[in-house]
Amino acid sequence: MAKPNVISKNELIRSAKKCLVKNGIEKFTLRAVAETAGVTQGTVYYHFRTKEQLLLDIVKDICGSSWDELSKSDGNIIKQAIETAKSRCSHDSFFHKLFLTLVVSGFHNDKIREQLEGIILQENKALAENLLKIWPSSPIKGISLDTWAIILNAVVDGIALQALLSKNFPVEKTYAELEKLFIALSGLQEVENK
Amino acid sequence: MAKPNVISKNELIRSAKKCLVKNGIEKFTLRAVAETAGVTQGTVYYHFRTKEQLLLDIVKDICGSSWDELSKSDGNIIKQAIETAKSRCSHDSFFHKLFLTLVVSGFHNDKIREQLEGIILQENKALAENLLKIWPSSPIKGISLDTWAIILNAVVDGIALQALLSKNFPVEKTYAELEKLFIALSGLQEVENK
Amino acid sequence: MAKPNVISKNELIRSAKKCLVKNGIEKFTLRAVAETAGVTQGTVYYHFRTKEQLLLDIVKDICGSSWDELSKSDGNIIKQAIETAKSRCSHDSFFHKLFLTLVVSGFHNDKIREQLEGIILQENKALAENLLKIWPSSPIKGISLDTWAIILNAVVDGIALQALLSKNFPVEKTYAELEKLFIALSGLQEVENK
Amino acid sequence: MAKPNVISKNELIRSAKKCLVKNGIEKFTLRAVAETAGVTQGTVYYHFRTKEQLLLDIVKDICGSSWDELSKSDGNIIKQAIETAKSRCSHDSFFHKLFLTLVVSGFHNDKIREQLEGIILQENKALAENLLKIWPSSPIKGISLDTWAIILNAVVDGIALQALLSKNFPVEKTYAELEKLFIALSGLQEVENK
DNA sequence: GATGAATGAGCTTTCATTCAT
DNA sequence: CATGAATGAAAGCTCATTCAT
């Protein structure tokens, strides 16, 4: 009955992520993961010794893809960032649902929390570096580029949160005006630099 | 054996909130609520017909207090808002943990989601109204006051999220510089108004 | 569906002892206990929070009965003791199977081991006290009554072990000759006392 | 990937015995055996077609060594026997733990029980033969040498059992006095023989 | 009103066993 | 020979829910 090598760890993680977003962490059962992946429960357990480990592997997987995405960035980082951010906050954004679910899970699991903290720190750092390319100095005196990065990241997450809660959230409008804000800030800088 | 009225619904809700933050939604059990409140499972069940109902009552309770707080606001709304926001985002802020936990719970429970949506909408509205008091018009052309409210709220939630994930998050510094940003924006407006 | 008060803890322990002897510790499952008692697994768990606790309660129950039996002893203690011992070592003696099963279980569970240690100590003590009644002094110089008690107890357990292993073990013959040994020892004492 | 003959059946049995004593029969798993031996589960399975077979092979292994030991005996058999017996009953005697574990296992597995019965019978027989060397006739009338053998064996097992249960069991004292008992009995015989 | 014994479905986890490689 | 991925049945355990008292 044992069919060797029918499934890979990555396929299982993909199935698990689907389940997590579909059923929520409250009903995130290994049985569901197994069914989604088309294997038995025993198989899931063979690959991840515990449920917690599977959850952690999901988080690590996300960290990995997050890192990949960041390292690809170039050129007009901001425009691109806004584009990405916007894509993440459609009303049922897979990514942000997964992310927030894991964040909440991290409140009671330090291993998970630390991994997520790593993502945030990386994102903030990448953002600060990219800001440096377009803002030789901060557009407003007294606000460091690091803080700008924190704030921008916070805005993106906060908007995503609102969008996930509210079916009628004006994603387009908000991001359009957010871009104006950004342009205005960039303009300020030129003024100051004179 | 039955003791009349030994516990009120509100006490149970308070215990339930404690449990929710302490154990997370994954381990939020009625037995834990009962033990925390010092009653039996049956008693919890007597007051809330189902577990979902208890969760919903927690959400409503939060909505209520949120509303109370908003209606008290006056005078220098911004400074006060920042103060409130800051207090909510210490590394283990009870409020934001509870809020985010419920948000995630709301992903798969429309009743909860709608209640939380209501909170957000109210907060945004209250914020917009208060902004009007200090900003007769938007400091940056093309950005409506409603959008400003959305953005400000998003920043607060997003920063709280980062603070909850990161033990070393620079809460003080971030909020100090955020205030500068706000002052600068207010300054902009005066310029434009001339 | 919930029928209150259909079973008592003692009934459950009785069923559990039956299961333990019938299936052995390897297959001692709470499901089997529940079935034997005619209740659901949940009920077993309601009364004993874990499997280990149930096992421990069985041990305590045995300690209790052991103690009761000891305190009833009087008159010709030895004859009676031999009778009891003999009854315990028929080829499938419930008592000794249970006892040895728990002893082995105690090898990896200190709580169980300590309880059983208590039984042995009590038995040895009771035996020593009763020996004193019939042997004012030890029949053989250099052997304390405490040691006699240990040895006698050991003989009884050791014979039971052999009887449990061997279907053809000569219980009657062995105990008959053991009694002769005892009488001979008592005779020795009188000689020495002169 | 297959490495030829990296492990022998005997090594596996040795590992299995370790596991059995370390974890007890309740947690005696093939995975643990495999890990202890440093091979995979499949390998254990390759050598012993079932778990039961492995257990049986352990029992046979013990029978073998038991037999070896008996056949080596000579000279002052009693003194040596007591020495051996004493060595087996330190508080965590590997041998007696293993033996008792298997005895209990034998309660529900006739193949195991029969093997162990064989050991006991052999031991009793060897003991009777050796007693004959030093006791031309029984020191007490009416007690056959066979019964003496049974009783002596029983004492040894019974004492070991008490020692395994009780950390403070007076092994030295008990065996010293047991030897005195033996010497006294031998003295009796000489008297009778006159 | 309040209790707590009982339920039963479903959870995570374990494990002997199989089998293609 | 040996492996190790996969299985599936069954284990221990949890929990929302019910109900007689």
Side-chain angles (χ1 to χ4, degrees), chain D residues 31-57:
Chain D
R31 178 190 288 183
V33 175
E35 271 172 20
T36 303
V39 297
T40 61
Q41 283 188 66
T43 304
V44 178
Y45 235 81
Y46 178 80
H47 287 282
F48 311 89
R49 313 278 304 193
T50 67
K51 183 185 184 183
E52 201 201 334
Q53 189 57 50
L54 171 53
L55 216 48
L56 206 52
D57 282 1

PDB file of all heavy atoms in Angstrom, chain D residues 31-57:
ATOM      1  N   ARG D  31      10.521   1.973  15.882  1.00  0.00           N
ATOM      2  CA  ARG D  31      11.274   3.184  15.536  1.00  0.00           C
ATOM      3  C   ARG D  31      12.394   3.429  16.554  1.00  0.00           C
ATOM      4  O   ARG D  31      13.518   3.740  16.185  1.00  0.00           O
ATOM      5  CB  ARG D  31      10.347   4.398  15.508  1.00  0.00           C
ATOM      6  CG  ARG D  31      11.118   5.678  15.205  1.00  0.00           C
ATOM      7  CD  ARG D  31      10.284   6.923  15.411  1.00  0.00           C
ATOM      8  NE  ARG D  31       9.275   7.051  14.370  1.00  0.00           N
ATOM      9  CZ  ARG D  31       8.445   8.067  14.267  1.00  0.00           C
ATOM     10  NH1 ARG D  31       8.487   9.035  15.150  1.00  0.00           N
ATOM     11  NH2 ARG D  31       7.563   8.112  13.291  1.00  0.00           N
ATOM     12  N   ALA D  32      12.043   3.252  17.841  1.00  0.00           N
ATOM     13  CA  ALA D  32      13.043   3.472  18.885  1.00  0.00           C
ATOM     14  C   ALA D  32      14.184   2.476  18.733  1.00  0.00           C
ATOM     15  O   ALA D  32      15.365   2.840  18.868  1.00  0.00           O
ATOM     16  CB  ALA D  32      12.390   3.342  20.264  1.00  0.00           C
ATOM     17  N   VAL D  33      13.848   1.226  18.448  1.00  0.00           N
ATOM     18  CA  VAL D  33      14.888   0.221  18.249  1.00  0.00           C
ATOM     19  C   VAL D  33      15.790   0.640  17.090  1.00  0.00           C
ATOM     20  O   VAL D  33      17.018   0.612  17.196  1.00  0.00           O
ATOM     21  CB  VAL D  33      14.263  -1.159  17.952  1.00  0.00           C
ATOM     22  CG1 VAL D  33      15.351  -2.163  17.615  1.00  0.00           C
ATOM     23  CG2 VAL D  33      13.453  -1.633  19.137  1.00  0.00           C
ATOM     24  N   ALA D  34      15.168   1.044  16.007  1.00  0.00           N
ATOM     25  CA  ALA D  34      15.931   1.446  14.827  1.00  0.00           C
ATOM     26  C   ALA D  34      16.864   2.605  15.175  1.00  0.00           C
ATOM     27  O   ALA D  34      18.058   2.578  14.849  1.00  0.00           O
ATOM     28  CB  ALA D  34      14.977   1.843  13.709  1.00  0.00           C
ATOM     29  N   GLU D  35      16.313   3.594  15.860  1.00  0.00           N
ATOM     30  CA  GLU D  35      17.137   4.757  16.202  1.00  0.00           C
ATOM     31  C   GLU D  35      18.298   4.363  17.110  1.00  0.00           C
ATOM     32  O   GLU D  35      19.429   4.802  16.915  1.00  0.00           O
ATOM     33  CB  GLU D  35      16.277   5.831  16.883  1.00  0.00           C
ATOM     34  CG  GLU D  35      15.662   6.796  15.876  1.00  0.00           C
ATOM     35  CD  GLU D  35      14.654   7.727  16.516  1.00  0.00           C
ATOM     36  OE1 GLU D  35      14.698   7.909  17.751  1.00  0.00           O
ATOM     37  OE2 GLU D  35      13.790   8.271  15.788  1.00  0.00           O
ATOM     38  N   THR D  36      18.009   3.546  18.097  1.00  0.00           N
ATOM     39  CA  THR D  36      19.060   3.105  19.015  1.00  0.00           C
ATOM     40  C   THR D  36      20.166   2.360  18.265  1.00  0.00           C
ATOM     41  O   THR D  36      21.351   2.509  18.565  1.00  0.00           O
ATOM     42  CB  THR D  36      18.475   2.185  20.096  1.00  0.00           C
ATOM     43  OG1 THR D  36      17.442   2.879  20.790  1.00  0.00           O
ATOM     44  CG2 THR D  36      19.540   1.771  21.094  1.00  0.00           C
ATOM     45  N   ALA D  37      19.758   1.581  17.282  1.00  0.00           N
ATOM     46  CA  ALA D  37      20.743   0.806  16.535  1.00  0.00           C
ATOM     47  C   ALA D  37      21.375   1.627  15.422  1.00  0.00           C
ATOM     48  O   ALA D  37      22.351   1.196  14.792  1.00  0.00           O
ATOM     49  CB  ALA D  37      20.082  -0.437  15.955  1.00  0.00           C
ATOM     50  N   GLY D  38      20.814   2.784  15.157  1.00  0.00           N
ATOM     51  CA  GLY D  38      21.359   3.631  14.108  1.00  0.00           C
ATOM     52  C   GLY D  38      21.000   3.174  12.703  1.00  0.00           C
ATOM     53  O   GLY D  38      21.726   3.428  11.746  1.00  0.00           O
ATOM     54  N   VAL D  39      19.874   2.499  12.580  1.00  0.00           N
ATOM     55  CA  VAL D  39      19.400   2.102  11.239  1.00  0.00           C
ATOM     56  C   VAL D  39      17.973   2.613  11.054  1.00  0.00           C
ATOM     57  O   VAL D  39      17.449   3.312  11.913  1.00  0.00           O
ATOM     58  CB  VAL D  39      19.419   0.568  11.076  1.00  0.00           C
ATOM     59  CG1 VAL D  39      20.832   0.023  11.177  1.00  0.00           C
ATOM     60  CG2 VAL D  39      18.513  -0.089  12.103  1.00  0.00           C
ATOM     61  N   THR D  40      17.384   2.288   9.940  1.00  0.00           N
ATOM     62  CA  THR D  40      16.020   2.755   9.692  1.00  0.00           C
ATOM     63  C   THR D  40      15.014   1.683  10.105  1.00  0.00           C
ATOM     64  O   THR D  40      15.352   0.522  10.283  1.00  0.00           O
ATOM     65  CB  THR D  40      15.814   3.064   8.211  1.00  0.00           C
ATOM     66  OG1 THR D  40      16.028   1.859   7.479  1.00  0.00           O
ATOM     67  CG2 THR D  40      16.772   4.135   7.752  1.00  0.00           C
ATOM     68  N   GLN D  41      13.774   2.122  10.199  1.00  0.00           N
ATOM     69  CA  GLN D  41      12.714   1.194  10.566  1.00  0.00           C
ATOM     70  C   GLN D  41      12.665   0.012   9.616  1.00  0.00           C
ATOM     71  O   GLN D  41      12.476  -1.132  10.028  1.00  0.00           O
ATOM     72  CB  GLN D  41      11.364   1.906  10.514  1.00  0.00           C
ATOM     73  CG  GLN D  41      11.092   2.809  11.680  1.00  0.00           C
ATOM     74  CD  GLN D  41       9.653   3.309  11.627  1.00  0.00           C
ATOM     75  OE1 GLN D  41       8.717   2.552  11.765  1.00  0.00           O
ATOM     76  NE2 GLN D  41       9.498   4.600  11.407  1.00  0.00           N
ATOM     77  N   GLY D  42      12.825   0.301   8.356  1.00  0.00           N
ATOM     78  CA  GLY D  42      12.764  -0.747   7.352  1.00  0.00           C
ATOM     79  C   GLY D  42      13.758  -1.861   7.646  1.00  0.00           C
ATOM     80  O   GLY D  42      13.458  -3.044   7.463  1.00  0.00           O
ATOM     81  N   THR D  43      14.928  -1.478   8.112  1.00  0.00           N
ATOM     82  CA  THR D  43      15.963  -2.479   8.394  1.00  0.00           C
ATOM     83  C   THR D  43      15.543  -3.410   9.530  1.00  0.00           C
ATOM     84  O   THR D  43      15.714  -4.625   9.444  1.00  0.00           O
ATOM     85  CB  THR D  43      17.271  -1.766   8.767  1.00  0.00           C
ATOM     86  OG1 THR D  43      17.614  -0.883   7.700  1.00  0.00           O
ATOM     87  CG2 THR D  43      18.385  -2.779   8.953  1.00  0.00           C
ATOM     88  N   VAL D  44      14.990  -2.824  10.560  1.00  0.00           N
ATOM     89  CA  VAL D  44      14.516  -3.656  11.667  1.00  0.00           C
ATOM     90  C   VAL D  44      13.486  -4.646  11.140  1.00  0.00           C
ATOM     91  O   VAL D  44      13.499  -5.832  11.479  1.00  0.00           O
ATOM     92  CB  VAL D  44      13.885  -2.792  12.782  1.00  0.00           C
ATOM     93  CG1 VAL D  44      13.362  -3.674  13.900  1.00  0.00           C
ATOM     94  CG2 VAL D  44      14.907  -1.810  13.315  1.00  0.00           C
ATOM     95  N   TYR D  45      12.646  -4.123  10.287  1.00  0.00           N
ATOM     96  CA  TYR D  45      11.605  -4.974   9.741  1.00  0.00           C
ATOM     97  C   TYR D  45      12.147  -6.062   8.841  1.00  0.00           C
ATOM     98  O   TYR D  45      11.575  -7.154   8.739  1.00  0.00           O
ATOM     99  CB  TYR D  45      10.603  -4.109   8.970  1.00  0.00           C
ATOM    100  CG  TYR D  45       9.265  -4.355   9.522  1.00  0.00           C
ATOM    101  CD1 TYR D  45       8.867  -3.719  10.680  1.00  0.00           C
ATOM    102  CD2 TYR D  45       8.434  -5.300   8.950  1.00  0.00           C
ATOM    103  CE1 TYR D  45       7.664  -4.007  11.254  1.00  0.00           C
ATOM    104  CE2 TYR D  45       7.224  -5.590   9.518  1.00  0.00           C
ATOM    105  CZ  TYR D  45       6.844  -4.937  10.664  1.00  0.00           C
ATOM    106  OH  TYR D  45       5.646  -5.230  11.230  1.00  0.00           O
ATOM    107  N   TYR D  46      13.238  -5.740   8.202  1.00  0.00           N
ATOM    108  CA  TYR D  46      13.831  -6.728   7.304  1.00  0.00           C
ATOM    109  C   TYR D  46      14.309  -7.946   8.095  1.00  0.00           C
ATOM    110  O   TYR D  46      14.183  -9.086   7.647  1.00  0.00           O
ATOM    111  CB  TYR D  46      14.974  -6.093   6.531  1.00  0.00           C
ATOM    112  CG  TYR D  46      15.649  -7.065   5.624  1.00  0.00           C
ATOM    113  CD1 TYR D  46      15.088  -7.394   4.393  1.00  0.00           C
ATOM    114  CD2 TYR D  46      16.830  -7.680   5.993  1.00  0.00           C
ATOM    115  CE1 TYR D  46      15.700  -8.310   3.557  1.00  0.00           C
ATOM    116  CE2 TYR D  46      17.443  -8.593   5.167  1.00  0.00           C
ATOM    117  CZ  TYR D  46      16.870  -8.907   3.950  1.00  0.00           C
ATOM    118  OH  TYR D  46      17.478  -9.810   3.132  1.00  0.00           O
ATOM    119  N   HIS D  47      14.843  -7.709   9.272  1.00  0.00           N
ATOM    120  CA  HIS D  47      15.419  -8.801  10.052  1.00  0.00           C
ATOM    121  C   HIS D  47      14.376  -9.582  10.858  1.00  0.00           C
ATOM    122  O   HIS D  47      14.482 -10.782  11.029  1.00  0.00           O
ATOM    123  CB  HIS D  47      16.500  -8.260  10.984  1.00  0.00           C
ATOM    124  CG  HIS D  47      17.752  -7.871  10.267  1.00  0.00           C
ATOM    125  ND1 HIS D  47      18.676  -8.788   9.839  1.00  0.00           N
ATOM    126  CD2 HIS D  47      18.220  -6.670   9.854  1.00  0.00           C
ATOM    127  CE1 HIS D  47      19.674  -8.169   9.213  1.00  0.00           C
ATOM    128  NE2 HIS D  47      19.414  -6.877   9.220  1.00  0.00           N
ATOM    129  N   PHE D  48      13.385  -8.874  11.362  1.00  0.00           N
ATOM    130  CA  PHE D  48      12.331  -9.537  12.134  1.00  0.00           C
ATOM    131  C   PHE D  48      11.028  -9.227  11.427  1.00  0.00           C
ATOM    132  O   PHE D  48      10.648  -8.066  11.340  1.00  0.00           O
ATOM    133  CB  PHE D  48      12.309  -9.003  13.566  1.00  0.00           C
ATOM    134  CG  PHE D  48      13.661  -8.971  14.205  1.00  0.00           C
ATOM    135  CD1 PHE D  48      14.478  -7.851  14.073  1.00  0.00           C
ATOM    136  CD2 PHE D  48      14.143 -10.056  14.917  1.00  0.00           C
ATOM    137  CE1 PHE D  48      15.731  -7.824  14.642  1.00  0.00           C
ATOM    138  CE2 PHE D  48      15.397 -10.031  15.481  1.00  0.00           C
ATOM    139  CZ  PHE D  48      16.199  -8.916  15.346  1.00  0.00           C
ATOM    140  N   ARG D  49      10.368 -10.202  10.985  1.00  0.00           N
ATOM    141  CA  ARG D  49       9.214  -9.951  10.123  1.00  0.00           C
ATOM    142  C   ARG D  49       8.100  -9.185  10.832  1.00  0.00           C
ATOM    143  O   ARG D  49       7.300  -8.511  10.189  1.00  0.00           O
ATOM    144  CB  ARG D  49       8.655 -11.272   9.600  1.00  0.00           C
ATOM    145  CG  ARG D  49       9.718 -12.220   9.064  1.00  0.00           C
ATOM    146  CD  ARG D  49      10.100 -11.883   7.645  1.00  0.00           C
ATOM    147  NE  ARG D  49       8.916 -11.881   6.781  1.00  0.00           N
ATOM    148  CZ  ARG D  49       8.990 -11.862   5.465  1.00  0.00           C
ATOM    149  NH1 ARG D  49      10.168 -11.822   4.875  1.00  0.00           N
ATOM    150  NH2 ARG D  49       7.897 -11.870   4.737  1.00  0.00           N
ATOM    151  N   THR D  50       8.038  -9.319  12.143  1.00  0.00           N
ATOM    152  CA  THR D  50       7.026  -8.569  12.884  1.00  0.00           C
ATOM    153  C   THR D  50       7.609  -8.120  14.223  1.00  0.00           C
ATOM    154  O   THR D  50       8.674  -8.572  14.639  1.00  0.00           O
ATOM    155  CB  THR D  50       5.780  -9.421  13.206  1.00  0.00           C
ATOM    156  OG1 THR D  50       6.170 -10.427  14.132  1.00  0.00           O
ATOM    157  CG2 THR D  50       5.192 -10.057  11.967  1.00  0.00           C
ATOM    158  N   LYS D  51       6.877  -7.280  14.869  1.00  0.00           N
ATOM    159  CA  LYS D  51       7.305  -6.808  16.180  1.00  0.00           C
ATOM    160  C   LYS D  51       7.314  -7.969  17.171  1.00  0.00           C
ATOM    161  O   LYS D  51       8.219  -8.110  17.980  1.00  0.00           O
ATOM    162  CB  LYS D  51       6.340  -5.726  16.665  1.00  0.00           C
ATOM    163  CG  LYS D  51       6.731  -5.109  17.985  1.00  0.00           C
ATOM    164  CD  LYS D  51       5.661  -4.128  18.450  1.00  0.00           C
ATOM    165  CE  LYS D  51       6.072  -3.425  19.723  1.00  0.00           C
ATOM    166  NZ  LYS D  51       5.025  -2.527  20.224  1.00  0.00           N
ATOM    167  N   GLU D  52       6.298  -8.807  17.055  1.00  0.00           N
ATOM    168  CA  GLU D  52       6.200  -9.932  17.974  1.00  0.00           C
ATOM    169  C   GLU D  52       7.430 -10.825  17.840  1.00  0.00           C
ATOM    170  O   GLU D  52       7.969 -11.323  18.822  1.00  0.00           O
ATOM    171  CB  GLU D  52       4.927 -10.727  17.671  1.00  0.00           C
ATOM    172  CG  GLU D  52       4.469 -11.581  18.835  1.00  0.00           C
ATOM    173  CD  GLU D  52       3.565 -12.717  18.363  1.00  0.00           C
ATOM    174  OE1 GLU D  52       2.924 -12.569  17.306  1.00  0.00           O
ATOM    175  OE2 GLU D  52       3.542 -13.741  19.049  1.00  0.00           O
ATOM    176  N   GLN D  53       7.857 -11.030  16.613  1.00  0.00           N
ATOM    177  CA  GLN D  53       9.011 -11.890  16.384  1.00  0.00           C
ATOM    178  C   GLN D  53      10.255 -11.317  17.067  1.00  0.00           C
ATOM    179  O   GLN D  53      11.049 -12.044  17.650  1.00  0.00           O
ATOM    180  CB  GLN D  53       9.259 -12.040  14.880  1.00  0.00           C
ATOM    181  CG  GLN D  53      10.302 -13.076  14.540  1.00  0.00           C
ATOM    182  CD  GLN D  53       9.925 -14.439  15.122  1.00  0.00           C
ATOM    183  OE1 GLN D  53       8.823 -14.921  14.948  1.00  0.00           O
ATOM    184  NE2 GLN D  53      10.852 -15.060  15.852  1.00  0.00           N
ATOM    185  N   LEU D  54      10.387 -10.012  16.993  1.00  0.00           N
ATOM    186  CA  LEU D  54      11.530  -9.387  17.652  1.00  0.00           C
ATOM    187  C   LEU D  54      11.480  -9.642  19.158  1.00  0.00           C
ATOM    188  O   LEU D  54      12.482 -10.016  19.789  1.00  0.00           O
ATOM    189  CB  LEU D  54      11.525  -7.874  17.371  1.00  0.00           C
ATOM    190  CG  LEU D  54      12.519  -7.029  18.153  1.00  0.00           C
ATOM    191  CD1 LEU D  54      13.938  -7.560  18.014  1.00  0.00           C
ATOM    192  CD2 LEU D  54      12.471  -5.574  17.694  1.00  0.00           C
ATOM    193  N   LEU D  55      10.300  -9.468  19.708  1.00  0.00           N
ATOM    194  CA  LEU D  55      10.135  -9.693  21.138  1.00  0.00           C
ATOM    195  C   LEU D  55      10.503 -11.138  21.481  1.00  0.00           C
ATOM    196  O   LEU D  55      11.211 -11.409  22.462  1.00  0.00           O
ATOM    197  CB  LEU D  55       8.675  -9.415  21.506  1.00  0.00           C
ATOM    198  CG  LEU D  55       8.390  -8.768  22.859  1.00  0.00           C
ATOM    199  CD1 LEU D  55       9.295  -7.583  23.081  1.00  0.00           C
ATOM    200  CD2 LEU D  55       6.936  -8.323  22.933  1.00  0.00           C
ATOM    201  N   LEU D  56      10.046 -12.037  20.668  1.00  0.00           N
ATOM    202  CA  LEU D  56      10.314 -13.445  20.902  1.00  0.00           C
ATOM    203  C   LEU D  56      11.813 -13.721  20.798  1.00  0.00           C
ATOM    204  O   LEU D  56      12.377 -14.483  21.596  1.00  0.00           O
ATOM    205  CB  LEU D  56       9.546 -14.275  19.875  1.00  0.00           C
ATOM    206  CG  LEU D  56       9.194 -15.702  20.273  1.00  0.00           C
ATOM    207  CD1 LEU D  56       8.500 -15.723  21.619  1.00  0.00           C
ATOM    208  CD2 LEU D  56       8.319 -16.332  19.204  1.00  0.00           C
ATOM    209  N   ASP D  57      12.437 -13.088  19.836  1.00  0.00           N
ATOM    210  CA  ASP D  57      13.882 -13.289  19.682  1.00  0.00           C
ATOM    211  C   ASP D  57      14.641 -12.755  20.886  1.00  0.00           C
ATOM    212  O   ASP D  57      15.667 -13.291  21.281  1.00  0.00           O
ATOM    213  CB  ASP D  57      14.371 -12.626  18.394  1.00  0.00           C
ATOM    214  CG  ASP D  57      14.032 -13.486  17.172  1.00  0.00           C
ATOM    215  OD1 ASP D  57      13.409 -14.547  17.349  1.00  0.00           O
ATOM    216  OD2 ASP D  57      14.390 -13.111  16.044  1.00  0.00           O
TER     217      ASP D  57
END
